Amino acid sequence: MPESKTRRKNPKPQGGGGAGAAAYDKPLPKWYKPVMFGLMLLGLVWIITYYISQTLFPIPGIGGWNIVIGFGVAMVGFFMTTGWR
C-alpha cells in the first residue's frame, strides 16, 4: 500500500511580526477588567432592583424599559469579554 507524503510546513517569520502582531500582544489596561465586570454587575443589580421594588425603581416613569436598560448595560460588559486576554 502506498504511503502518503508528509506536507512541508511554512516556516514562521523570524522578524518582528508586523504591526498587527504588536497590537494584538499589547496587554489590556488595568481599568478594563473592573469596568467589564462592573457593567455586568450593574446590569444585574438594575434588573433585580426593578423586580424587588415592584417596578418603582430605578426609573419609575419608564416601566418595562428598565429591563431593557439593565440587559443593555450587562450586554456591554459581556461584549467586552471578547477583547479580554
Side-chain angles (χ1 to χ4, degrees):
M1 179 171 249
E3 215 173 291
S4 63
K5 295 180 183 180
T6 58
R7 293 184 183 185
R8 289 187 225 172
K9 293 184 180 181
N10 291 334
K12 293 185 180 181
Q14 300 292 330
Y24 183 75
D25 292 338
K26 284 175 52 175
L28 291 174
K30 293 198 183 274
W31 56 265
Y32 195 85
K33 284 194 285 187
V35 169
M36 177 181 67
F37 290 120
L39 287 172
M40 287 188 274
L41 288 174
L42 178 65
L44 179 66
V45 168
W46 190 288
I47 294 169
I48 290 172
T49 302
Y50 176 72
Y51 279 118
I52 289 177
S53 70
Q54 298 178 356
T55 70
L56 295 176
F57 295 109
I59 303 175
I62 62 172
W65 284 100
N66 279 305
I67 296 172
V68 175
I69 292 171
F71 275 116
V73 170
M75 288 309 296
V76 170
F78 281 114
F79 286 138
M80 287 179 73
T81 62
T82 60
W84 184 21
R85 293 186 281 283

